[in-house]
Amino acid sequence: MAEEINKEMVEHEIVTKDSKENLNSNGVHEENQQGKQMEGKNKDDMKPWEQHAAVISIPRFDYKAPPSLIQHSHSGFLITCPIKREKSATKEAMSIFEKFIRETITVDKETSESLDAITLSKRRRICQHLEGDLVTSLKNEENCCSVPVGSGTSAESSAALSLVKLTGSGLLLLVFRRDMDPKVVDILSNIFQSLGSRSLKPPQWCHRIFPIQSTCSLDEKELQTVVSRLVKQFVNDKQNKISQPAKFAVGYNRRGIEENEMKDDKRSNGSDVPVMLDRSKCFEVVAAAVKDAVADSVVDLKCPEFAVLLEVLPVSGIPENKVVVAVSVLPQKLVSTKPRLCVRALISDAKKSGKRSL
C-alpha cells in the first residue's frame, strides 16, 4: 500500500513538472512572438530615412548650408571618391575625422572632457576599495557611464560637420559650423602622418581630402581679400620656412562646372561669374593677391614652397548668379605638381597598382 502511494506521488510530481515546463516554454514562445510583432510594428512605423539611418549611420544633408556658404565664410573638407560610392566614402570620412576632430574642439569642450576623465578615475579608485557584488555593479555602472565619453568623438564630429548636397558625382563636401575655425590643414597633415606610421588604416573610398580654409563667392574683390589674408597667415606662421623670393603656384579646379555655367545666359545678368570662371583671369587675380601679401615672390610650378588652390564647389540649391569657391594655401608637403597641381592623394598610385596586382 505504501509503495503504491509513493508511486502515485512520484507520477504526480513528474506530471506537475512537465506541465510547468510546457507552460514556461509556451510563455517564452508567446513573449518571443509578441516581441517580434512589436519589432515589426516599430519597423513599419519608422519612415524610410529612419530605417536607413538605423542601418548606416551617416549624416543627412544640411539644406541650410548653401545659403550660409554664400553669406559667410566656412572651413571644411572637399573629398573625392568613386562615382556611386558617395555613401561609403561619407561613412569612411566621418570615421577618419573622428580620430582627429577633438584637436579642433574649443577649450570648453576639452575642459568638460577632462572633467569626465577625472570623474571616471575617481570611480575606479572607489571600486578598488569595495568587494563582492558591489564592485561588479559599480564597474558595470562605470562602463555604462564611460560609453558616451568614449563615443563622444562621433557625436562631436557629426555635430561639428555638416554634409552639403552637391550637383556633381564623386564628391563630398563637409563644412564646419560658422562659429568654428578649426585648423583643417593641420588635420590633413596629421592624417598623412598617421597613414605613414600605419596607425591609420588606408582608406578604401576616399581618394583625396582637400582642406578648405575659407569659402567665398567667385567675385574678384572678395577672392583677392581671401587669398591675401590666407597667404599672410601662411607666411607669418613660424613653422613655414619661406625663402627669398618666395616660390608659389596657383591651382584652379572647376570640375566641369564651366561647361554649364558659361553657356548659361541667365548667369550673365550683371555678374562677373563667367569672367572669373576663365582660368587665365582667375590666375591673374590670385597672383596679384599673392604679390600684394608677399612683394618678393615668384611663380614656380615645379617646386613651389606653397600653393594657392581654388576649388569651385558645385553646391546644390544656390542662386543661379552665384558660384561658391573654396580657397586654401597649402605647404609643399601636402601638394603634388604632377601631372597637375592638386592636393596629395591619400594613397599613392604606386600603392594602388601594387594592390591591384596582388
Side-chain angles (χ1 to χ4, degrees), residues 38-299:
M38 289 299 293
E39 289 178 0
K41 186 177 180 181
N42 291 337
K43 186 175 181 180
D44 293 337
D45 292 340
M46 293 172 63
K47 296 180 180 180
W49 56 83
E50 294 175 343
Q51 296 179 15
H52 183 269
V55 178
I56 303 176
S57 58
I58 58 175
R60 296 177 61 189
F61 288 120
D62 184 3
Y63 292 99
K64 295 181 180 179
S68 181
L69 287 171
I70 298 174
Q71 299 173 1
H72 309 283
S73 175
H74 287 264
S75 58
F77 302 96
L78 181 67
I79 304 167
T80 60
C81 65
I83 296 176
K84 295 184 179 180
R85 289 293 185 179
E86 289 83 359
K87 291 182 180 179
S88 300
T90 302
K91 189 174 181 180
E92 185 178 63
M94 295 303 293
S95 65
I96 292 175
F97 291 137
E98 283 174 9
K99 298 177 176 63
F100 304 95
I101 197 70
R102 281 197 170 191
E103 299 177 4
T104 65
I105 302 300
T106 58
V107 178
D108 293 336
K109 287 190 177 182
E110 292 178 357
T111 305
S112 63
E113 290 170 1
S114 64
L115 290 175
D116 291 336
I118 294 173
T119 303
L120 290 178
S121 64
K122 288 182 178 180
R123 286 174 179 264
R124 295 189 183 97
R125 292 175 186 174
I126 294 172
C127 290
Q128 291 175 357
H129 296 284
L130 299 175
E131 297 178 355
D133 295 336
L134 185 59
V135 176
T136 304
S137 63
L138 283 177
K139 284 184 177 179
N140 291 335
E141 181 185 357
E142 178 183 347
N143 291 333
C144 293
C145 294
S146 63
V147 169
V149 178
S151 62
T153 52
S154 177
E156 288 166 2
S157 59
S158 61
L161 288 169
S162 297
L163 180 63
V164 183
K165 188 175 183 179
L166 303 177
T167 58
S169 301
L171 291 174
L172 303 174
L173 178 58
L174 296 168
V175 296
F176 285 95
R177 298 197 311 263
R178 188 164 57 92
D179 58 345
M180 299 183 66
D181 188 19
K183 297 181 179 179
V184 292
V185 177
D186 292 343
I187 293 176
L188 183 60
S189 299
N190 294 336
I191 291 175
F192 276 112
Q193 289 178 3
S194 299
L195 289 172
S197 62
R198 297 185 179 181
S199 61
L200 178 65
K201 183 180 178 182
Q204 183 179 2
W205 307 113
C206 298
H207 291 170
R208 300 175 191 270
I209 298 179
F210 174 65
I212 302 173
Q213 291 181 299
S214 181
T215 60
C216 66
S217 298
L218 195 56
D219 175 79
E220 181 174 348
K221 294 182 179 179
E222 191 171 351
L223 184 60
Q224 282 182 339
T225 302
V226 172
V227 171
S228 180
R229 174 176 58 84
L230 293 178
V231 171
K232 290 179 181 178
Q233 180 180 328
F234 180 86
V235 173
N236 294 332
D237 191 347
K238 296 181 180 179
Q239 296 180 354
N240 301 321
K241 296 181 180 180
I242 306 297
S243 61
Q244 298 293 333
K247 302 176 182 179
F248 74 95
V250 180
Y252 183 34
N253 200 339
R254 295 170 295 194
R255 299 194 182 276
I257 197 173
E258 69 276 10
E259 285 83 359
N260 297 326
E261 311 305 335
M262 298 188 74
K263 292 179 182 179
D264 193 353
D265 295 332
K266 294 181 181 180
R267 303 187 71 111
S268 59
N269 297 330
S271 174
D272 60 349
V273 168
V275 178
M276 290 300 298
L277 282 171
D278 181 67
R279 191 178 299 273
S280 58
K281 176 61 176 179
C282 188
F283 284 164
E284 179 184 344
V285 172
V286 174
V290 175
K291 289 283 187 181
D292 181 63
V294 184
D296 191 7
S297 58
V298 294
V299 176

Side-chain angles (χ1 to χ4, degrees), residues 296-343:
D296 191 7
S297 58
V298 294
V299 176
D300 189 341
L301 300 179
K302 293 183 179 180
C303 188
E305 294 174 325
F306 65 92
V308 182
L309 299 184
L310 285 78
E311 288 273 355
V312 174
L313 303 177
V315 181
S316 175
I318 61 174
E320 294 182 349
N321 61 343
K322 294 290 183 180
V323 173
V324 179
V325 61
V327 186
S328 283
V329 178
L330 303 181
Q332 183 183 16
K333 64 180 182 179
L334 295 182
V335 298
S336 59
T337 57
K338 294 181 180 180
R340 60 184 178 85
L341 184 64
C342 61
V343 66

